[in-house]
């Protein structure tokens, strides 16, 4: 007797699942194409605002259109002409944040324009628009009350859901480019000077990736998580290699050595406090590990703005 599987049977379910995956893949591809085209048009518009004279360069002859040429932008940014041309043409290429920052600096982008560039180039993590508003007021009060100890509320992907003033001021000046990531792992991997600021950089980043891998087991297939991992891997060979190790880690007491521009070397004990109201979040607190660090912590605070009398 020959039997046939209906469209609701295993074969039909597999076919429907494959069709759904292909449809979603096609949608992601179309969105990616539109995003890259938008990136190219944005770069062209910003390039048209500038002239060779803005950089002390001779305008040259037979210049048909205003603005810098592609090869001039590439030369000034220190990137390959072909690579930059492909970037403007909307081709699917990888761009590190260091290279994007060089292009942004050359095009003299302001903070909003630079953040727009990073988002179009997928150089920022995906974050829920309501992430900050989702933090209960009671948790915000706890984090803020820990000041003068630096403290932040992080989730499983290391997104900074909120920080108190002591934490924001502690790490205020360690970025050489605008901090548009609001994510400790992204900040470490994409900041060119991170290795010089954290003497145990390799161990620190390896631990962060292992923690993220542990949390990932609860989010396999989650579009935001999968997209963040894809973006990080395309931006950073270092992250891609660490992610491929499949290392996992539980919370553990750690000492973070941080070279602060004003306070000098700080040795900070890193403690984590679980948040029952937010099961996958934790409050990360930095406590001075020794008397020298405790004495230098006030140097990490930004001076209060003086109020001028009328």
């Amino acid at each position: 007797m020959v039997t046939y599987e209906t469209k609701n049977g295993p074969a039909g379910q597999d076919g429907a699942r494959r069709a759904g995956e292909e449809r979603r893949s096609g949608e992601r591809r179309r969105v990616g194409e539109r995003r890259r085209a938008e990136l190219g048009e944005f770069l062209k518009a910003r390039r048209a605002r500038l002239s060779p004279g803005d950089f002390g360069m001779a305008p040259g002859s037979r210049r048909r259109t205003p603005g810098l040429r592609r090869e001039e932008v590439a030369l000034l940014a220190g990137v390959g002409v072909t690579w930059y041309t492909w970037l403007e043409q909307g081709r699917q290429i990888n761009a590190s944040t260091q290279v994007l920052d060089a292009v942004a600096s050359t095009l003299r982008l302001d903070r909003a324009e630079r953040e727009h560039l990073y988002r179009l180039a997928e150089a920022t993590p995906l974050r829920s628009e309501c992430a900050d508003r989702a933090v209960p007021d009671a948790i915000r009060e706890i984090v803020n009350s820990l000041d003068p100890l630096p403290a932040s509320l992080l989730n499983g992907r290391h997104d900074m859901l909120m920080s108190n003033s002591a934490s924001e001021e502690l790490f205020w000046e360690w970025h050489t480019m605008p901090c548009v990531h609001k994510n400790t792992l992204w900040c470490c991997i994409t900041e060119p000077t991170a290795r010089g600021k954290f003497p145990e950089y390799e161990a620190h980043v390896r631990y962060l990736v292992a923690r993220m891998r542990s949390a990932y087991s609860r989010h396999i297939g989650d579009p935001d998580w999968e997209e963040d991992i894809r973006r990080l891997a395309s931006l950073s060979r270092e992250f891609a290699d660490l992610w491929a190790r499949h290392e996992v880690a539980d919370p553990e007491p750690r000492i973070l050595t941080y070279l602060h521009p004003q306070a000098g070397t700080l040795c900070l004990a890193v403690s984590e406090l679980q948040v029952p109201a937010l099961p996958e979040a934790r409050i990360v607190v930095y406590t001075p590990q020794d008397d020298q660090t405790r004495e230098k912590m006030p140097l990490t605070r930004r001076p209060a703005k003086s109020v001028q009398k009328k």
Side-chain angles (χ1 to χ4, degrees):
M1 178 177 179
V2 179
T3 60
Y4 297 91
E5 294 179 337
T6 67
K7 63 179 181 180
N8 294 323
Q13 292 173 357
D14 288 344
R17 183 165 52 251
R18 285 195 297 271
E21 292 174 353
E22 291 175 358
R23 182 172 59 255
R24 288 190 293 272
S25 177
E27 291 173 354
R28 288 194 297 269
R29 184 170 58 253
R30 287 189 291 273
V31 170
E33 291 171 353
R34 290 172 56 189
R35 177 185 49 73
R36 291 192 297 273
E38 179 70 16
L39 172 60
E41 292 302 318
F42 175 68
L43 291 173
K44 292 175 188 175
R46 299 286 78 77
R47 176 164 58 86
R49 298 186 309 182
L50 302 171
S51 67
D54 293 328
F55 300 88
M57 301 167 59
S61 60
R62 296 195 299 183
R63 185 175 291 270
R64 298 179 180 177
T65 57
L68 292 175
R69 295 190 176 110
R70 286 173 176 168
E71 56 269 24
E72 291 169 338
V73 173
L75 175 65
L76 290 167
V79 301
V81 175
T82 299
W83 180 90
Y84 182 78
T85 300
W86 286 356
L87 188 66
E88 278 201 5
Q89 290 176 345
R91 299 202 190 187
Q92 190 169 1
I93 58 176
N94 293 335
S96 70
T97 51
Q98 289 87 344
V99 172
L100 289 173
D101 192 55
V103 172
S105 297
T106 299
L107 295 178
R108 300 182 178 180
L109 303 186
D110 61 23
R111 185 182 183 87
E113 292 170 331
R114 192 175 297 232
E115 182 170 352
H116 186 62
L117 170 66
Y118 290 164
R119 293 192 185 282
L120 290 177
E122 296 187 318
T124 57
L126 287 178
R127 298 187 72 228
S128 171
E129 294 297 328
C130 62
D132 290 335
R133 295 193 296 273
V135 179
D137 290 341
I139 303 303
R140 289 183 177 275
E141 185 173 355
I142 291 171
V143 175
N144 287 326
S145 69
L146 290 168
D147 195 317
L149 292 179
S152 297
L153 181 68
L154 306 181
N155 63 12
R157 283 189 295 178
H158 305 298
D159 288 326
M160 289 177 279
L161 305 183
M162 69 160 295
S163 298
N164 64 15
S165 296
S167 180
E168 291 178 355
E169 294 177 14
L170 174 64
F171 299 110
W172 189 269
E173 295 184 277
W174 85 279
H175 289 284
T176 57
M177 47 189 167
C179 180
V180 299
H181 302 95
K182 301 298 182 182
N183 180 291
T184 56
L185 178 58
W186 281 73
C187 285
C188 284
I189 286 180
T190 61
E191 170 55 43
T193 66
R195 291 179 182 274
K197 300 292 179 62
F198 296 110
E200 299 95 2
Y201 172 87
E202 287 81 4
H204 179 56
V205 170
R206 184 175 178 179
Y207 174 76
L208 292 180
V209 174
R211 288 293 304 277
M212 184 176 175
R213 172 66 82 171
S214 296
Y216 172 67
S217 64
R218 296 186 292 273
H219 297 277
I220 294 175
D222 183 305
D224 285 354
W225 276 73
E226 300 293 349
E227 182 66 5
D228 267 2
I229 294 166
R230 184 192 67 78
R231 290 186 181 191
L232 266 175
S234 66
L235 284 168
S236 169
R237 169 55 58 186
E238 175 186 21
F239 172 82
D241 291 342
L242 288 172
W243 190 254
R245 294 184 181 186
H246 289 264
E247 294 179 340
V248 295
D250 287 329
E252 60 184 39
R254 296 181 296 124
I255 303 299
L256 180 68
T257 304
Y258 172 48
L259 304 184
H260 189 274
Q262 276 76 45
T265 302
L266 302 174
C267 294
L268 303 164
V270 185
S271 303
E272 294 189 13
L273 310 176
Q274 296 303 310
V275 183
L278 299 171
E280 292 197 37
R282 75 268 190 196
I283 300 174
V284 179
V285 187
Y286 299 92
T287 307
Q289 174 68 11
D290 51 46
D291 292 338
Q292 292 84 356
T293 296
R294 191 174 302 278
E295 291 174 359
K296 291 186 289 186
M297 287 300 289
L299 298 175
T300 67
R301 306 309 296 258
R302 303 180 73 205
K305 295 182 179 179
S306 60
V307 178
Q308 295 182 349
K309 295 182 180 180
K310 294 183 179 180

